[in-house]
Amino acid sequence: MAAKKKLYETFSKSLIDEAHRCGCMKQTGVSLRYMMEFGSKPTCRNLLISAQFLHKELPIRIARRAIELQKLPYGLSEKPAVVKVRDWYLDSFRDLKSFPDIKDNNDELEFTKMIKMIKVRHNNVVPTMALGVQQLKKDLQPKVHNDGLEEIHQFLDRFYMSRIGIRMLIGQHVELHNPNPPPDVVGYIHTKMSPLEVARSASEDARGICLREYGSAPDVNIYGDSNFTFPYVPNHLHMMVFELVKNSLRAVQERFIDLDKIAPPVRIIVADGLEDVTIKISDEGGGIARSGLPKIFTYLYSTAKNPLCEQPDPETANVATMAGYGYGLPISRLYARYFGGDLQIISMEGYGTDAYLHLSRLGDSQEPLP
């Protein structure tokens, strides 16, 4: 009851009722192709149209999540971290609904400043929700087995997928204001992105964290055509490759740290297929036990110690740690699926793991995104 009491102490009944009404409305998907074509000419008129669309669309998406955060099973809605996330969503909903109709370019610029602040407000949603789930897990053990929490896993998939979509819409609009965009870049989208270059950058970042945590890091060898490019969102690919390489580096480092042998490199292969671009990340880190494989895409499982146990405030916790939150793989798979791709993990216990990141070739796709 504490969370419900706080809800009406913090937010008016009329705002909550409006969120329920708004959350029942149908959301509108936008295709990547449309974003690329529309954003290729960021005229004042186009930016005005984009802002007017977001002014109607964002409250629907944000209200849905705020309402759903109130109705979670096993008491998850009452966990302090989840209450904090819910309040962020309701704060953002209130900001959007109180913003007047966008009629001219001055309105559009003010609206853009506001949604930029909303995006920043939600930066820590993923680690904060992870903390809420860990709070729940601690309370439930050993009463409820992971298999009994399917409803929560399904909610988190929906919730995080929606968050990807909201941040894509806001980020795309905000980036269209860049007066000097790099060549071939339309907002968040790079029309000629080199997956090899993004993989190299993400690998260097992952190795940096491994070096900081362990004092050394295995090499990462990358293979593929450096001239190959295709339209994609570099930030999304960087995040996915970073998480996968980070997992591989940790596995290899921990397996070989006390041995006299030189740790074998992590290998990345970029393949250009007719249907998909596939990035394979292979390691010799000992693999995952067969009994553990069904759990790796759940939000309640990690083979590493949870860093939030030591630093329970996501505002001050170092979220770029090696592992332990239990959301790297499931979130990476959602990022892949957002654009119609997928992530598969094949492991050989006693040897190593292969991760296959499938990225759809989306240049001509007119399918609306989630």
Side-chain angles (χ1 to χ4, degrees):
M1 291 301 291
K4 290 189 178 178
K5 185 183 177 188
K6 186 180 184 303
L7 182 64
Y8 287 104
E9 281 177 355
T10 313
F11 301 97
S12 67
K13 186 177 184 301
S14 61
L15 183 83
I16 305 303
D17 290 344
E18 193 169 10
H20 278 272
R21 279 195 301 275
C22 223
C24 294
M25 296 169 73
K26 190 171 185 279
Q27 70 180 49
T28 305
V30 184
S31 72
L32 186 71
R33 182 180 177 183
Y34 179 80
M35 283 187 189
M36 286 165 57
E37 290 175 353
F38 186 86
S40 63
K41 297 171 188 158
T43 59
C44 289
R45 182 176 177 275
N46 277 4
L47 289 171
L48 186 63
I49 292 168
S50 173
Q52 288 168 340
F53 167 72
L54 292 179
H55 191 222
K56 290 186 173 68
E57 181 66 16
L58 290 174
I60 296 170
R61 295 180 179 227
I62 286 171
R64 283 187 176 188
R65 303 289 76 85
I67 292 162
E68 208 171 12
L69 283 163
Q70 267 300 103
K71 301 175 178 177
L72 302 178
Y74 300 107
L76 182 56
S77 293
E78 279 80 47
K79 298 302 171 197
V82 177
V83 170
K84 183 186 278 192
V85 173
R86 181 208 65 199
D87 288 355
W88 288 339
Y89 274 78
L90 285 170
D91 281 335
S92 298
F93 178 76
R94 180 172 55 193
D95 290 349
L96 287 159
K97 293 306 288 184
S98 61
F99 198 93
D101 288 343
I102 302 164
K103 295 175 180 172
D104 56 36
N105 291 107
N106 285 332
D107 294 344
E108 187 274 323
L109 287 171
E110 287 303 310
F111 178 77
T112 300
K113 281 185 200 168
M114 184 192 68
I115 61 173
K116 198 173 179 180
M117 287 176 62
I118 286 174
K119 190 166 179 280
V120 171
R121 175 187 288 151
H122 291 246
N123 277 351
N124 280 319
V125 160
V126 176
T128 307
M129 282 300 294
L131 176 59
V133 170
Q134 291 299 331
Q135 288 168 345
L136 173 71
K137 188 178 178 183
K138 189 177 175 185
D139 289 350
L140 291 178
Q141 285 180 334
K143 288 179 271 185
V144 179
H145 190 265
N146 279 354
D147 295 345
L149 299 174
E150 184 59 31
E151 199 178 341
I152 286 174
H153 294 311
Q154 289 173 0
F155 156 73
L156 289 168
D157 272 346
R158 285 194 306 276
F159 179 78
Y160 290 136
M161 183 67 91
S162 170
R163 180 177 184 270
I164 293 168
I166 289 167
R167 292 178 78 78
M168 180 73 196
L169 289 174
I170 294 176
Q172 180 69 6
H173 178 84
V174 169
E175 283 300 313
L176 289 177
H177 284 78
N178 186 347
N180 299 301
D184 306 310
V185 170
V186 178
Y188 256 16
I189 305 157
H190 196 312
T191 61
K192 294 180 179 176
M193 184 198 75
S194 164
L196 209 72
E197 285 307 310
V198 176
R200 185 170 286 121
S201 169
S203 300
E204 286 170 4
D205 288 349
R207 283 193 84 243
I209 289 180
C210 189
L211 281 165
R212 191 186 68 212
E213 294 223 354
Y214 295 101
S216 62
D219 289 335
V220 178
N221 297 338
I222 305 176
Y223 308 91
D225 181 0
S226 59
N227 295 316
F228 165 62
T229 65
F230 77 116
Y232 208 76
V233 177
N235 286 352
H236 287 196
L237 181 57
H238 187 285
M239 192 284 299
M240 292 184 278
V241 174
F242 172 78
E243 284 293 339
L244 294 168
V245 172
K246 192 175 66 165
N247 286 351
S248 288
L249 290 172
R250 179 175 72 92
V252 172
Q253 188 69 19
E254 292 190 352
R255 188 183 188 202
F256 286 85
I257 198 162
D258 293 325
L259 302 178
D260 290 335
K261 298 178 186 174
I262 295 172
V266 172
R267 294 176 303 283
I268 301 177
I269 301 169
V270 179
D272 169 21
L274 290 174
E275 197 172 295
D276 286 344
V277 175
T278 301
I279 299 177
K280 178 186 176 187
I281 298 167
S282 299
D283 67 61
E284 295 173 38
I288 303 163
R290 197 153 52 97
S291 60
L293 280 172
K295 302 174 191 170
I296 61 173
F297 286 111
T298 72
Y299 297 95
L300 292 171
Y301 176 79
S302 174
T303 56
K305 184 171 180 177
N306 186 344
L308 291 172
C309 294
E310 296 171 2
Q311 177 58 279
D313 183 1
E315 302 288 341
T316 56
N318 177 14
V319 296
T321 188
M322 277 303 279
Y325 292 103
Y327 63 69
L329 283 176
I331 293 282
S332 296
R333 185 168 68 172
L334 290 181
Y335 270 94
R337 288 179 172 178
Y338 178 74
F339 285 129
D342 208 353
L343 171 61
Q344 296 173 309
I345 304 291
I346 298 172
S347 192
M348 184 186 292
E349 189 183 8
Y351 181 75
T353 301
D354 292 338
Y356 291 86
L357 186 56
H358 302 285
L359 310 172
S360 290
R361 305 182 66 102
L362 291 168
D364 296 320
S365 173
Q366 297 190 55
E367 285 293 313
L369 300 169

